[in-house]
Structure formats: C-alpha cells, structure tokens
Amino acid sequence: MKITSARVIVTCPGRNFVTLKIETDQGVHGIGDGTLNGRELSVVSYLEDHVIPCLIGMDPRRVEDIWQYLYRGAYWRRGPVTMRAIAAVDVALWDIKAKMAGMPLYQLLGGRSRDGIMVYGHANGADIDRTVAAVATYIDMGYKAIRAQSGVPGVEKAYGVSGGTLHYEPADADLPTVTGWDTRKALNHVPQLFARLRDTFGFDYHLLHDAHHRYTPQEAANLGKMLEPYQLFWLEDATPAENQEAFRLIRQHTVTPLAVGEIFNSIWDAKDLIQNQLIDYIRATIVGAGGLTHLRRIADLAGLYQIRTGCHGATDLSPVTLGTALHFDTWVPNFGIQEYMRHTEETDAVFPHDYHYKDGYLFCSEQPGHGVDIDEELAAKYPYQRAYLPVARLADGQLWNW
C-alpha cells in the first residue's frame, strides 16, 4: 500500500481552515487538520514545500515511522508550524488505517473508556447580567459545564466577550484589532461574576473561567484564592507557561484547579508541569501537539500523576480535529472534559460529519475512520481571507498578552 498523492485544501466558511487530504493506491483517503489560527499559510507552505514531496510512495500504515520521520528527520523540531503540519499528516494516516480496518478510530486506540464526552460551552456577556443570562441558555440546552466570561467595567473589548452566543471567532480582522486590559479591574470583577452565578444557579453545574495568560503568577494565585468559594471546575491559562515553574507559586497559594496547554506543541512544554503536579488538566490539542500519536504520549504521562485531559476545542480547530478529538476522548482513560465551541452552519456543511451533541455530551462517529470528510466543491466556494487574532494593550499603551 502506498501514498499516491497528497494535497492541501484551504477554505474559509466563516474562518480559515487548512486541510490535508492523503490518497492511496487502494482508493482509501484520509483527512487531517493543519489550521494555525492567524498564521494558516505558514502551515500550507510547510506541507506543500517540505512534507508532501516526502510522503509520496510511503506506506500509510506506518504511522509511527512517518511521525518520527517528520519530527526527527527535519532536525528543526517542535514549534507551532512544524507540529501542526505533522498533526495533519498523522490524523490523515490514522483515518486511513481505521478505514482499512473497517472500524471507528477509537477502537484502534483501544476501545471505549466511556459512553459520552462531557463538553463545556462558552457563555459570555458585556456585563454580569448578560453573562448570567447566557449561562442560563446553556443550562437550558442541557450543558453540565459552562465557561463564563464577562465584560470588565472600564476595559475595552474584554477577552472572551463576543457578539453572539454560540459562535465566536476572535480572528476577526485583516490586521490585528487592539483590545484593552487592566489586571486590577479584572481581579475586582471576576469574583463578583462567579458569586452571582453560584447564587443564581447553585453548585450543581461545573463552571470554568479562562484567564488567557493575563496574570503574573502572584496575581493568578490571588485570583485562584478569591475564586475558591465558588468551586470552579478549573481556572484556565492563569499565567503564561513558557516558565513552567511559574505554576508552582500559584499552586502554593490556591486549591482552585488549574488547566493549561492549548498553545503547547509537545510533551516538553508540559513535562515539568505534569511531573511536579502543578496543574490538574492538560489542554494540549491533537492539531497543536503533533497529532494523535504524540497527544497519546502526553496523556499517558499525565495519567501517571492523576492529571486529566481537557482538550482545547475552539472554532479555530476544524471539525476534523473535533471529530478526531472525540475518538481520543472516548478512549483516553484519564479524560476530564472537552471544550465545544459550535461551528457555523457553513463550516459544518463543508466538513460532513456524524458526531452529535445530546444533553451535555458529544458522541463520536461510529463510521470507519474518524468520521469527518471534506466537500471540496463546496470548500472552493469559500476562498482564503487573511484574518489576525487581536492584540491587547494596557491603559498606558504597553503590549500585553492577548
């Protein structure tokens, strides 16, 4: 069995996606996602100029060997562009392998560890009242877990507050828009939000909050301590994690569970956090961390330390990654939760799939493979449109972490 062709498909049904399609001499094809939000064409070039020429003639069943070839063989390891290109190949190969075996992907990984995948949605509002109303909407839809974000008085375009309720696309302009930030105001406001949510809805629902790398370790520890009475499921991205030791200070001062990792590219980004038990949830993604082959290794390491998975699942990941993640979630023994931001109707049409939501859970496809494909004719109707993520600045103009 040999790979006969591979091509990259770029489409923008509301936002840009990079899809790799690998075809074989036995008529079986596989689909992988290589989307890098705001930097999509860098992955396209990496795939077309440096990866695809090497794939032609290879045996697609040798998933591990091809992963090592693309990782070790390049010499220049890791990084968001490289690892997303590897992920696109890896997921397409797993898709082919599962189709050849005639079974859904989770069966190849080892079978079910659970029946459904608990997901959380994004509730947000310009102020606390509107966030409370948005949380109520998700509860009415059956969600057991909801991420809550609110506008902060005096902060222009606060993170996580969108114009809609179910669809949120932060890469929203041809050049980066500027948003504001004020840590002092946020520290005063966020605990008020969760006090109100618990007073309104009680403690039967899981509540999550994304700090989006905005706080220093000491500030994050302060926030975590103030949020303890409200029993958050997790506080996400409390501080930038390039310095993994930063989480030690947070851990020393709060028992609020900590989650991080959506921008991680490899096990090395998470190794110290996991081995030192400085986090509770690892949020690395299939597309960001080199595909299923590598994410399984991260999850296995985390499992040794009772750390659970909580894969990133925003709309910058195509239905290909979400569908594949659900197979991973169905199998992985140390599963925690899956983020679920719903795609637009246009995106769902471009990427036919049969995973489905019911009463707070997602259920993966039972088709052979990962169960997601691409309608190339429809995809061609949505050409690439350059779009950047915003930047954040403090009141004095200093650039901050968006």
Side-chain angles (χ1 to χ4, degrees):
M1 188 177 189
K2 295 185 183 300
I3 296 172
T4 55
S5 69
R7 64 183 180 277
V8 180
I9 304 159
V10 182
T11 184
C12 187
R15 64 107 49 240
N16 293 312
F17 296 109
V18 176
T19 305
L20 177 67
K21 185 171 186 177
I22 296 178
E23 297 175 312
T24 70
D25 60 358
Q26 296 192 20
V28 180
H29 74 269
I31 300 294
D33 179 20
T35 305
L36 176 56
N37 201 2
R39 296 292 187 272
E40 294 88 0
L41 297 187
S42 61
V43 183
V44 174
S45 174
Y46 195 101
L47 285 167
E48 291 182 340
D49 297 332
H50 305 291
V51 172
I52 289 176
C54 299
L55 295 177
I56 307 305
M58 285 186 169
D59 185 341
R61 296 169 296 188
R62 298 182 62 167
V63 180
E64 181 68 42
D65 184 62
I66 292 175
W67 194 96
Q68 298 294 339
Y69 179 91
L70 296 175
Y71 181 81
R72 295 189 184 190
Y75 184 68
W76 311 105
R77 302 183 184 187
R78 304 163 62 191
V81 176
T82 295
M83 297 306 281
R84 274 171 169 75
I86 293 175
V89 175
D90 187 72
V91 168
L93 296 181
W94 277 104
D95 191 24
I96 290 170
K97 199 173 188 71
K99 287 174 178 175
M100 293 295 294
M103 60 180 61
L105 179 53
Y106 72 83
Q107 294 288 12
L108 280 190
L109 299 178
R112 287 187 177 276
S113 293
R114 59 199 49 80
D115 296 324
I117 307 304
M118 185 172 71
V119 298
Y120 71 90
H122 287 205
N124 65 89
D127 53 34
I128 289 177
D129 286 343
R130 278 177 271 197
T131 300
V132 170
V135 170
T137 297
Y138 275 94
I139 289 174
D140 289 344
M141 294 169 63
Y143 281 77
K144 313 295 187 294
I146 305 104
R147 190 189 88 163
Q149 309 288 139
S150 168
V152 178
V155 175
E156 184 179 1
K157 300 178 181 177
Y159 167 76
V161 179
S162 67
T165 54
L166 296 179
H167 308 295
Y168 171 46
E169 179 45 59
D172 59 357
D174 185 60
L175 289 174
T177 56
V178 177
T179 63
W181 183 249
D182 187 308
T183 298
R184 181 69 267 157
K185 291 177 180 177
L187 287 174
N188 290 336
H189 186 71
V190 172
Q192 296 179 46
L193 168 65
F194 285 93
R196 176 76 174 279
L197 289 172
R198 286 305 187 197
D199 183 60
T200 304
F201 301 109
F203 286 80
D204 289 340
Y205 299 97
H206 299 299
L207 296 178
L208 305 84
H209 183 69
D210 186 357
H212 222 249
H213 312 109
R214 300 300 173 92
Y215 301 94
T216 67
Q218 187 277 336
E219 292 164 349
N222 188 13
L223 178 60
K225 189 72 174 176
M226 289 190 290
L227 291 174
E228 285 179 7
Y230 314 116
Q231 300 179 24
L232 266 63
F233 187 92
W234 75 36
L235 174 61
E236 178 186 342
D237 290 345
T239 196
E242 288 94 337
N243 173 19
Q244 297 184 35
E245 277 291 307
F247 278 75
R248 188 179 301 278
L249 189 151
I250 305 172
R251 191 63 127 186
Q252 289 170 343
H253 292 282
T254 181
V255 296
T256 295
L258 302 173
V260 74
E262 70 181 54
I263 66 171
F264 287 178
N265 304 134
S266 78
I267 198 169
W268 304 106
D269 296 318
K271 181 180 75 70
D272 292 348
L273 289 167
I274 291 171
Q275 291 181 340
N276 293 313
Q277 296 178 266
L278 302 180
I279 58 174
D280 302 278
Y281 296 90
I282 180 66
R283 288 188 29 79
T285 69
I286 288 170
V287 67
L292 273 171
T293 297
H294 195 60
L295 188 60
R296 292 177 77 191
R297 294 193 172 99
I298 297 174
D300 284 341
L301 176 63
L304 296 178
Y305 298 93
Q306 299 184 42
I307 294 167
R308 294 186 285 175
T309 65
C311 291
H312 177 61
T315 49
D316 60 318
L317 312 182
S318 90
V320 175
T321 289
L322 178 59
T324 306
L326 295 178
H327 287 272
F328 170 82
D329 296 336
T330 297
W331 157 77
V332 68
N334 53 319
F335 171 77
I337 200 167
Q338 171 67 52
E339 182 178 18
Y340 179 40
M341 285 181 68
R342 293 167 183 247
H343 292 105
T344 64
E345 292 181 4
E346 293 81 3
T347 295
D348 285 336
V350 168
F351 295 94
H353 59 271
D354 68 347
Y355 59 77
H356 63 280
Y357 168 86
K358 182 180 179 181
D359 196 26
Y361 296 87
L362 276 174
F363 299 86
C364 70
S365 168
E366 291 294 334
Q367 298 178 17
H370 55 49
V372 185
D373 213 326
I374 184 168
D375 183 332
E376 294 187 62
E377 184 176 343
L378 185 56
K381 296 181 179 179
Y382 300 102
Y384 168 80
Q385 298 180 36
R386 187 173 69 183
Y388 282 87
L389 291 169
V391 297
R393 291 189 182 274
L394 305 182
D396 66 1
Q398 179 184 345
L399 194 73
W400 203 242
N401 303 309
W402 184 82

